[in-house]
């Protein structure tokens, strides 16, 4: 496995692979890898001749007061995991390889970047799309892999690819969960035992609403309310939003249907948790 730190070097390698006819799968990460990331890498490994994983804690996507400085960076362990999964190259740039002093241009995500996660995390999606565009340009993948857990990110990345005619297929991969339902996230490491035991309640509430949908309730506002009510018995979870939206347009449909996303965000002792379920698809 090559560990590449220079932007130009990773681009040259990717272009050489593509010129030789090899397809390339990119798994962009911020490191602190867990089984969710591993499932993205495994899928990329199955579907591509070459696999590149990037590890870059992107400061642009952290809002002021967020956890940029303390974001976990277990780099040696991450490299061992990626080596074990048969990754061909890890792109692990320093800050100046992505944002040199001369860097000026940013991707404006438009109105979809201002709602839900974007409302609570100003500038977050501008940072995400800027770094994703850069990583796509550098690693020149045929396919890039993203987790369904970050449903709004996924939707915005798909839009970025459409808007800029980028020759890459975006592949979404199912959320990986702990046995008690908690969606895996690098930030779960911040939860102390008491908060950790409360954390699956977000998924529990979304699941309850998804079950009601299966039982025939189709009113989006009523389904959202159900999840909010389920959370109201857990005062330690500070609700940010529960929203049901169309998976392609981020709009609330007139009637809930299969494939729609029911997403939620809470704060638990200052730690932000997000999760979502896809209506009609979730194993309940
Ligand atoms: O989902 C993430 O880990 C990040 O937002 C990403 C896509 C690697 C961009 O920094």
């Amino acid at each position: 496995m090559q560990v590449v730190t220079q932007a130009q070097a990773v681009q040259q390698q990717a272009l050489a692979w593509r010129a030789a006819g090899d397809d390339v799968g990119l798994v962009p990460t911020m490191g602190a890898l867990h089984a969710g990331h591993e499932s993205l890498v495994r899928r990329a490994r199955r579907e591509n001749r070459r696999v590149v994983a990037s590890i870059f804690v992107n400061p642009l996507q952290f809002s002021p007061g967020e956890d940029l400085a303390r974001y976990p960076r277990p780099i040696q362990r991450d490299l061992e995991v990626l080596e074990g999964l048969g990754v061909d190259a890890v792109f692990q740039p320093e800050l100046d390889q992505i944002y040199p002093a001369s860097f000026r241009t940013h991707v404006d995500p438009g109105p979809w970047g201002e709602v839900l996660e974007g409302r609570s995390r100003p500038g977050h999606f501008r940072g995400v799309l800027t770094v994703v565009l850069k990583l796509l340009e550098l690693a020149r993948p045929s396919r890039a892999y993203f987790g369904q857990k970050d449903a709004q990110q996924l939707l915005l990345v798909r839009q970025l690819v459409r808007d800029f005619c980028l020759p890459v297929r975006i592949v979404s991969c199912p959320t990986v969960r702990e046995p008690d339902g908690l969606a895996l996230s690098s930030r779960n490491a911040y939860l102390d035992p008491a908060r950790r035991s409360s954390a699956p309640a977000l998924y529990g509430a979304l699941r309850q609403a998804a079950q009601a949908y299966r039982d025939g309730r189709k009113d989006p506002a009523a389904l959202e309310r159900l999840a909010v009510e389920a959370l109201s018995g857990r005062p330690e979870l500070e609700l940010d939003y529960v929203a049901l939206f169309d998976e392609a347009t981020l709009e609330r449909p007139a009637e809930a249907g299969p494939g729609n996303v029911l997403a939620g965000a809470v704060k638990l002792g200052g730690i932000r948790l997000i999760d979502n379920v896809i209506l009609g698809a979730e194993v309940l």
Side-chain angles (χ1 to χ4, degrees):
M1 182 177 80
Q2 309 173 42
V3 179
V4 184
T5 57
Q6 304 296 301
Q8 211 188 356
V10 80
Q11 193 180 52
Q12 273 166 4
Q13 176 63 88
L15 287 170
W17 281 334
R18 296 300 301 270
D22 292 350
D23 49 2
V24 173
L26 171 67
V27 182
T29 83
M30 298 208 300
L33 303 180
H34 51 63
H37 297 110
E38 291 176 30
S39 78
L40 304 183
V41 175
R42 281 203 188 87
R43 173 118 186 237
R45 186 63 290 168
R46 281 199 303 277
E47 295 182 349
N48 302 276
R49 172 105 174 82
R50 304 289 184 179
V51 175
V52 178
S54 61
I55 299 179
F56 179 64
V57 181
N58 174 33
L60 269 192
Q61 69 187 76
F62 288 75
S63 308
E66 287 190 347
D67 55 344
L68 173 62
R70 67 168 181 144
Y71 197 83
R73 292 168 170 85
I75 187 66
Q76 275 320 315
R77 191 192 161 273
D78 286 350
L79 293 176
E80 282 163 26
V81 167
L82 294 172
E83 174 115 63
L85 292 169
V87 163
D88 295 284
V90 177
F91 179 44
Q92 194 215 335
E94 292 293 338
L95 187 66
D96 66 350
Q97 289 298 305
I98 300 294
Y99 304 122
S102 59
F103 191 85
R104 293 286 176 270
T105 312
H106 297 82
V107 179
D108 176 352
W112 288 358
E114 304 297 320
V115 297
L116 305 177
E117 284 305 289
R119 198 164 60 93
S120 297
R121 307 184 67 191
H124 172 66
F125 288 117
R126 177 179 190 258
V128 169
L129 294 190
T130 300
V131 82
V132 166
L133 179 59
K134 186 127 194 184
L135 292 169
L136 293 173
E137 281 302 304
L138 292 175
R140 300 296 169 107
S142 336
R143 302 179 189 84
Y145 295 80
F146 293 84
Q148 173 62 39
K149 174 171 168 278
D150 295 298
Q152 190 178 2
Q153 167 172 285
L154 182 62
L155 186 136
L156 281 161
V157 168
R158 288 193 193 285
Q159 186 66 32
L160 170 81
V161 164
R162 273 195 299 274
D163 284 344
F164 291 99
C165 309
L166 304 175
V168 60
R169 236 190 84 210
I170 301 301
V171 181
S172 72
C173 300
T175 302
V176 178
R177 300 183 180 282
E178 299 280 9
D180 62 5
L182 177 64
L184 294 190
S185 160
S186 306
R187 290 189 167 100
N188 292 350
Y190 301 148
L191 297 167
D192 63 24
R195 289 177 180 136
R196 171 64 190 79
S197 70
S198 294
L202 173 58
Y203 178 54
L206 298 173
R207 243 171 51 148
Q208 236 172 286
Q211 184 59 54
Y213 166 78
R214 285 193 172 218
D215 295 341
R217 293 184 74 169
K218 299 285 187 287
D219 175 17
L223 293 170
E224 290 170 356
R225 252 193 327 272
L226 241 166
V228 171
E229 276 160 22
L231 284 167
S232 65
R234 310 297 298 247
E236 71 277 25
L237 299 178
E238 194 189 313
L239 180 67
D240 182 354
Y241 63 82
V242 167
L244 195 151
F245 56 83
D246 180 285
E247 63 284 10
T249 65
L250 208 58
E251 276 166 21
R252 187 199 264 176
E255 187 171 87
N260 289 167
V261 178
L262 181 65
V266 295
K267 269 202 166 169
L268 177 56
I271 296 149
R272 188 177 177 79
L273 300 177
I274 63 169
D275 204 344
N276 65 79
V277 294
I278 301 177
L279 296 187
E282 202 69 11
V283 181
L284 297 170

